[in-house]
Amino acid sequence: MSTSSVSLLTRELSFAPYDVKWIPCSSRVCTVGATNHGTGKIAVYNLVGKQLELKTETETNAAVRCATITGQTRSLATGDFEGQLQLWDTQRFDIPLISFKAHESIINSIDSYNQPKEPQELVTGSRDGTVKVWDVRQPENAVLTIKSKESTDIWAVAYGQLKGEKVIAVGYENGDIKLFHVNGSQYLWELHVKDGICSIEFNHDKILASTLSGAYVIDIATGKTSEIQSPTTLWSVRHIPQQSQHEANQRTCSFQASHHLCRLEQG
């Protein structure tokens, strides 16, 4: 099954974007990426009418590959090309609140687990073939490390829940998608799509995965997929959090790094 998408707005960027996140309870989006001279860029835009207006930005020493919003503080956690994990205040980007070496190679993906009355955690996936879970209260030592049996590059990770249990979705460069049960320390299922997984996220009972040639909506319980076709690589696709469950399943925000564009899509 294929689903078409309609572009709602587009903004040209001065850098190659690798990730995008909606900042909760606001009309702001945060983008991270790399400049032409190899440094990183973090930029926050306001959604005003049918335009994205730049609110604030900063440049970092290393290109930034991924980002996630953490907890009620709405801090920004980022992973870069040198394997560093950093935590930022979204109101000011002069220096990171936390910065340390988390992986031996580039951190391709990062996500946060934000549930009431539970420890705030981060999960990262790297080219070094590992998925690591971090407790934000003591962030410099991983509380869980998942090592792939194969030396496959991990491109995407996401935290979610299945029947009230904590799970992690992992996407690989070869198109594999696996669901890991955290407490049970085992993979529950896996499937394969035709291209590498650029981003992955949970939305109610669905998983949304973007690839080098489009995206897939995956039913968590059955593994049934619906394809969203795209003429270019979708480096990152996100649901709009302000929408209802039905609308959120139909509306996404995507970035096209190859064209230095920010595009909001309904699809």
Side-chain angles (χ1 to χ4, degrees):
M1 176 181 175
S2 296
T3 303
S4 61
S5 61
V6 178
S7 178
L8 301 179
L9 62 87
T10 300
R11 178 190 171 98
E12 292 187 2
L13 303 177
S14 61
F15 60 97
Y18 290 133
D19 204 357
V20 53
K21 290 295 185 295
W22 291 95
I23 297 177
C25 304
S26 76
S27 58
R28 295 180 296 160
V29 294
C30 181
T31 72
V32 301
T35 65
N36 291 333
H37 47 280
T39 59
K41 181 75 75 171
I42 302 173
V44 176
Y45 296 89
N46 274 334
L47 181 59
V48 181
K50 294 185 177 181
Q51 295 184 345
L52 287 173
E53 297 182 356
L54 180 64
K55 178 178 176 61
T56 184
E57 65 179 351
T58 190
E59 194 164 332
T60 61
N61 292 331
V64 183
R65 178 62 182 86
C66 54
T68 189
I69 304 296
T70 65
Q72 298 299 320
T73 61
R74 295 192 292 178
S75 299
L76 180 75
T78 61
D80 67 23
F81 277 62
E82 296 181 354
Q84 295 183 103
L85 193 158
Q86 297 179 313
L87 196 66
W88 305 81
D89 183 343
T90 56
Q91 300 299 321
R92 50 181 295 181
F93 287 100
D94 48 351
I95 58 173
L97 303 173
I98 298 171
S99 180
F100 64 94
K101 183 80 167 180
H103 286 271
E104 295 304 314
S105 187
I106 177 177
I107 300 175
N108 286 317
S109 183
I110 186 171
D111 194 23
S112 59
Y113 186 75
N114 305 310
Q115 295 294 328
K117 300 181 180 180
E118 291 196 38
Q120 185 178 320
E121 295 178 343
L122 297 171
V123 59
T124 54
S126 170
R127 181 180 293 169
D128 64 15
T130 62
V131 174
K132 294 185 179 183
V133 175
W134 311 87
D135 188 328
V136 174
R137 298 170 300 180
Q138 298 177 325
E140 295 189 19
N141 295 308
V143 297
L144 175 66
T145 298
I146 307 168
K147 179 69 176 179
S148 300
K149 294 182 179 179
E150 309 86 7
S151 59
T152 305
D153 194 350
I154 298 169
W155 281 8
V157 292
Y159 249 134
Q161 287 190 331
L162 176 62
K163 298 179 180 180
E165 296 287 335
K166 190 187 304 183
V167 293
I168 297 172
V170 185
Y172 296 82
E173 65 171 336
N174 64 358
D176 286 346
I177 300 175
K178 300 181 181 181
L179 192 68
F180 185 84
H181 187 272
V182 175
N183 293 334
S185 296
Q186 62 180 341
Y187 287 103
L188 299 179
W189 53 254
E190 63 181 271
L191 58 87
H192 181 81
V193 297
K194 61 184 179 181
D195 290 304
I197 310 301
C198 299
S199 73
I200 195 167
E201 75 160 355
F202 288 84
N203 186 59
H204 301 285
D205 59 347
K206 300 291 192 298
I207 291 176
L208 180 63
S210 71
T211 74
L212 296 174
S213 61
Y216 293 86
V217 178
I218 305 166
D219 186 284
I220 298 175
T222 66
K224 182 179 179 181
T225 63
S226 298
E227 184 178 5
I228 301 173
Q229 296 181 343
S230 172
T232 62
T233 294
L234 296 181
W235 289 110
S236 182
V237 178
R238 301 291 176 224
H239 292 98
I240 296 177
Q242 290 86 350
Q243 304 300 313
S244 67
Q245 178 174 353
H246 172 72
E247 291 174 323
N249 284 337
Q250 301 299 322
R251 185 165 292 186
T252 63
C253 179
S254 68
F255 271 68
Q256 298 180 22
S258 58
H259 290 187
H260 285 217
L261 295 176
C262 169
R263 185 178 70 182
L264 178 63
E265 287 187 334
Q266 180 175 349

